Amino acid sequence: MRKTLSSIFLVAMCLAATACSTNGSGDDDDIGDDDGGGGRPGFTDGVSTLGGGGEAGFLDGNRQVNLFNNPVNVAVAADGTVFVADFDNNKIRALDAEGNATTVIDKQGFQRPFGMAFAKDGTLFVSTDNDPNGGHSDMSGTVWAVNVTAKTATPIAVSIGRPRSLAVLADGRLVAADNLHHVIEFIDTRTGTVAPLAGTWGAKGMVDANGATARFATPYGIAQASDGTLVVCDFENNRLRVVTLTGGVSTLAGTVSGFADGAMTTAQFNHPQAIVKAPNGDLFVTDIDNFRIRKVSGGTITTVAGSGTDGYRDSDDLLAAEFHGLEGIGINSSGTMLFVADGTRGEDVSFNRVRQVEL
C-alpha cells in the first residue's frame, strides 16, 4: 500500500511540474517546442536540448530553467564539460552532462565572444569581436587566454581584425580564420604577433593557390585534420578548403551552393560554417543554410543530423531533428556526442539553445 501511495504522489508531482520525463524515452511529449522557461523536453537517444530555450535571457541553473542569449559556439573540455560562447550576454558559460549551467567568464571589456579552442594544457582560447575597452570595429577583434578553473580571461592579441575561428597547433601557435578580411593567419600566443598564412587581406574570391595568391570568401570554421593540414569552412564559396602549414590552398569538397551527399567532387554545401575533428579523424561540419550537420569520412560526405527544415525539434531520429543557428560545433573526447550552438544567427528569432547529438 505504501508503494502505491508513493507512486500516486510521484505522478501527481510530475503532472503539476509539467516537466517530468524519462531520458531516452523518445515519446512525442519529449520533443518539439518548449516555452523557454519550464517544461522543456527530456533527453532523447538522438538530438536533444542540453541547455537554453526559445526565450533569450541570462540565467544559470538546471536545464529546465537556464537561459542563453544567442549562443554561437561551443568547445568541449577533456572532462566533457561544454563551454559556450554566449554572444549577446558577453559571457562564457559551462554546461555539464545534465544541462546544469554556470557562468565562467563575466568580465568588463569581454564582449561578443565567438571563436573557441582548447589547448592541450587546458587553456581555452577565445576570440571576441570587441577589444578590451569595449571598442567595436573591423579591427577590434581580440584573442583571450581563459583559465576555466580560475575563471580569468587575459587578452593576448588585441585589435587584430576579426578572428572568428581558432585552432591550436602542436607547437602552441593559434591559427585564426578572419571572416571579415578573408584571410587565414598564425597567432603567437606568447607575443600576440600575427603572421599571414593564406589569402590576401580584404580580397574576397575563390582561388586555389599558395599564400597571398589564394582567395577565400568569408572563411569561418577551422580544424586541423589528422594529416596536419587545416580544413577551413569557406562560407560564401560553399566549399571546404585545405590549407597546409606552408600556405598551400586547395579545395577538399563542395562546388556550387546546394545540397548533395556523396563524393568530395560532387557534394554540395549551402554555407558551411563550423567544423570539428572527431578522435577517429572524421570531420563534422555545420551546413547552416541546409540546416544539417554533415560528416566528412573516407572521401565521402554524408548527412548526420537535421531534416533540412529550419526550426526546432528534438528527436530520436537524427534525420528528423530540426536546427536553426548551427554556428558552432564541438565533440567529446570519446567521439560519441556532438554539441551544437543553435542560436539566432543575429536575427530576432526564438532560438537560444545548445543541442547535443548522440552519435
Side-chain angles (χ1 to χ4, degrees), residues 208 231 239-242 250-254 264-265 283 296 301:
D208 284 338
V231 181
R239 290 168 168 84
L240 302 181
R241 312 284 293 282
V242 174
S250 58
T251 296
L252 177 65
M264 301 284 201
T265 54
L283 298 170
V296 183
I301 310 294

Side-chain angles (χ1 to χ4, degrees), residues 220-243:
Y220 252 100
I222 187 168
Q224 190 169 28
S226 297
D227 63 2
T229 62
L230 303 165
V231 181
V232 178
C233 292
D234 198 0
F235 185 82
E236 288 190 57
N237 282 325
N238 301 297
R239 290 168 168 84
L240 302 181
R241 312 284 293 282
V242 174
V243 182

